[in-house]
């Protein structure tokens, strides 16, 4: 428990100071280095671990759908009928349940470019 206190404090400090969002994702989801081939072969846990690294190395805002699919492959789902979504999961820690989410890339219908990235619960 003591080892979690500094991590939680750092995460809260970064959030309060407007720190980079993916730093918090590294703490929550993992810090596996993103690799296109490994992503293609990964299960939902592997993708969850690589998610923050991908968002840091390849910021998706402004990316076309074609470019997004070149990096991540065909989406496993679509949110709101048109937005590409990829299933990611956070490995369960002792006593907690597995957390599955959809990593959704909201796309502008006119430009075809990513305008927002969000994690949404799987229904």
């Amino acid at each position: 428990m003591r080892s979690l206190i500094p991590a939680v404090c750092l995460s809260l400090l970064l959030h309060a100071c407007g720190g980079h969002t993916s730093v918090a994702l590294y703490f929550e989801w993992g810090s596996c280095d993103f690799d296109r081939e490994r992503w293609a072969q990964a299960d939902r846990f592997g993708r969850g671990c690589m998610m923050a690294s991908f968002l840091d190395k390849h910021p998706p805002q402004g990316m076309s759908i074609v470019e997004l699919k070149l990096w991540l492959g065909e989406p496993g789902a679509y949110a709101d009928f048109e937005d590409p979504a990829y299933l990611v999961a956070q490995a369960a820690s002792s006593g907690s349940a597995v957390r599955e989410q959809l990593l959704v890339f909201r796309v502008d219908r006119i430009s075809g470019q990513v305008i927002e990235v969000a994690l949404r619960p799987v229904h």
Side-chain angles (χ1 to χ4, degrees):
M1 182 66 176
R2 232 176 219 203
S3 63
L4 288 177
I5 292 172
V8 169
C9 289
L10 178 60
S11 179
L12 291 173
L13 176 67
L14 289 170
H15 181 70
C17 295
H20 205 267
T21 304
S22 62
V23 171
L25 287 177
Y26 274 113
F27 283 114
E28 289 186 43
W29 289 82
S31 59
C32 302
D33 196 39
F34 174 79
D35 178 79
R36 188 183 321 194
E37 287 78 28
R38 282 188 21 236
W39 177 277
Q41 301 302 316
D43 62 7
R44 64 192 192 273
F45 297 105
R47 289 190 303 271
C49 189
M50 286 186 268
M51 175 177 57
S53 175
F54 170 75
L55 295 173
D56 266 350
K57 290 181 176 182
H58 311 285
Q61 283 80 1
M63 212 182 260
S64 71
I65 293 178
V66 171
E67 187 178 1
L68 181 70
K69 289 179 181 180
L70 286 173
W71 283 112
L72 301 180
E74 285 297 318
Y78 285 89
D80 302 323
F81 303 105
E82 295 184 43
D83 296 327
Y86 299 83
L87 182 64
V88 295
Q90 187 178 36
S93 58
S94 58
S96 65
V98 171
R99 182 173 159 204
E100 287 187 331
Q101 302 263 324
L102 284 176
L103 178 61
V104 178
F105 296 88
R106 204 166 127 237
V107 177
D108 180 81
R109 304 299 180 245
I110 296 170
S111 70
Q113 294 181 324
V114 175
I115 55 173
E116 183 182 16
V117 179
L119 284 170
R120 292 189 189 168
V122 177
H123 297 287

